[in-house]
Amino acid sequence: YRRAIDVGLRFLVQDHPDISSLFIGIGTVYDRLGQYKEAKRLFSDALNGCRRSVGEEHPCVATAYVHLGHVHSRLGDYQAA
């Protein structure tokens, strides 16, 4: 995933939805490894990128919210989840 992000950033801006999808992918890896803070950072980056590039009403934003809510739950932050 990291290599994919590096390659993607050569051709796309950081806020492109495809880059956000890569952030979600690597965030999922960190989530499965139990590295929730790093997963949270990546999911937040994905959410912010999607919101800036395509606005609130896009599936990319919804996907990022789902993953971010999941990791908040894993961290015990049920209010944020």
Side-chain angles (χ1 to χ4, degrees):
Y1 281 111
R2 288 211 185 268
R3 184 167 165 86
I5 289 171
D6 291 341
V7 170
L9 288 174
R10 281 191 244 152
F11 300 100
L12 303 169
V13 296
Q14 179 148 353
D15 290 343
H16 193 280
D18 289 347
I19 299 297
S20 294
S21 292
L22 292 171
F23 284 146
I24 288 171
I26 197 167
T28 300
V29 171
Y30 280 110
D31 177 56
R32 290 184 179 161
L33 292 172
Q35 297 179 20
Y36 304 122
K37 289 183 182 180
E38 183 63 16
K40 179 182 168 186
R41 184 186 67 78
L42 288 160
F43 294 147
S44 293
D45 289 348
L47 174 62
N48 292 330
C50 285
R51 290 168 80 188
R52 283 190 299 265
S53 65
V54 295
E56 283 290 323
E57 303 297 321
H58 191 276
C60 174
V61 174
T63 299
Y65 272 126
V66 167
H67 286 280
L68 191 56
H70 172 79
V71 82
H72 276 292
S73 177
R74 296 272 206 172
L75 289 166
D77 189 357
Y78 303 110
Q79 189 75 17

